[in-house]
Amino acid sequence: MLRTEVLAGLVVALALIPEAISFSIIAGVDPRVGLFASFTMAVSIAFLGGRPAMISAATGAVALVIAPVMRDHGFEYLIATVILGGVIQVVLALLGIAKLMRFIPRSVMVGFVNSLAILIFVAQVPHLIDVPWLVYPMVAVGIGVIVGFPRLTTVIPAPLVAIVALTAFVLIGGFDVPNVGDEGELPDSLPSWFVPDVPFTLETLEIIAPYALAMALVGLLESLLTAKLVDDITDTHSEKTREAWGQGTANVITGFFGGMGGCAMIGQTMINVKVSGARTRISTFLAGVFLLILVVGFGDAVALIPMSALVAVMIMVSVATFDWHSVRPATLRRMPRSETTVMLATVLITVATSNLAIGVIVGVLTAMTLFARRVAHMTETERRVVQDEQGSRAVYRVTGQLFFASSNDLYTQFDYVDDPERVVIDLSGARIWDASTVAALDAITTKYERKGKTVEITGLDRASADRHGRLTGRLP
């Protein structure tokens, strides 16, 4: 329904304001830079993105990556970095980076979701320290409204009711509690076209390229993971490649309007999709439009919204985002240890670094290592001695997947001293995957030949025979 989309966009816009200001502070720029970035990202991605209802805006991950540019080289270089980062994202999208999403295991996704929930909650803690005592009951009331109001009606999003009610309570009572205005000064003019004044030289490229590449990778990783998460929540499919180049184009547009760049915002997306029930691009577009209207046209009123109301909203987003089923004792007992290890590694690294991208990369590497270890142990070698007209021969039947992790132990499975002069290695139940296996087979053959024995390798499938034929005898 249109009403749901409109109200969801308004709730998201209100929640975006303090976060955009906070991310601006992290990047070392004026609050208007983060707010304008959130506006241009949201509006642009509403048309260009491949995942309807997903919110893109200025984010902490991108702010952390580009902050050193602002600190060491200034604002002009920061904007140049954002523009180049967007261009790199478009190039990576055209090269098919979205297809790499299939290599991210479910356990990493669960860790990603859980660490996201923890980070959202942790981000609210500073707003609950050294504050007037009234803040705590206000947060509790806000949470109560968000939990209880949907039981009365779902016509109006509960977070919006909580924000309006708590704001009215503070204004009517004249209470002095932290508000949005305390987070930073809101802009009073519209964003304008901006071209960074930097020399177009190789030296400039050397300065901004490393940060632009890091920004591109972090932004794409968070955006594609968020898109996959929304796919699961809504039981719909998104166009990942379109989302990837859409993010890049949105960052280029944002840079030329003096914004700090960004990517998908998981917390705000959860507010939009899971809490408010939005499902279309309209909510994303209106979130950007409402944000601009609120900070430019009604900045004085928005500044009066108590932070306790927004903290209550984000705490409930954290609770709703966390995959509680994944940490139930019954689930942990049934789940293989390797899966739990991957999930915990993702969570711990993400929370420790406050960087979702690093956590996901570590999670994937952990999953790959444990998978290789598990598959390597599934390789077996069976020996038997056969008598025929030409005498005796040793037949070794090897089964399993042969690659670097399993083939390194293959060399030790043969009886080089006591075997007869003829040795057959039967690989009909195995498959050769890499050069390490070919090198191991060459080493086995060489060792037998030094003892005056002959080796015959049989049973290779077409792919294994082709790989073995191309590499055997040609590896050091």
Side-chain angles (χ1 to χ4, degrees), residues 402-432:
L402 300 178
F403 62 111
F404 61 91
S406 58
S407 59
N408 286 335
D409 294 332
L410 189 63
Y411 183 82
T412 64
Q413 303 299 311
F414 294 81
D415 190 351
Y416 301 98
V417 176
D418 296 329
D419 276 343
E421 293 184 357
R422 289 189 301 144
V423 177
V424 176
I425 302 177
D426 179 9
L427 297 179
S428 57
R431 184 162 189 174
I432 296 174

Side-chain angles (χ1 to χ4, degrees), residues 32-47:
R32 72 176 60 222
V33 177
L35 290 166
F36 286 163
S38 296
F39 161 69
T40 53
M41 286 293 297
V43 171
S44 299
I45 210 66
F47 295 98

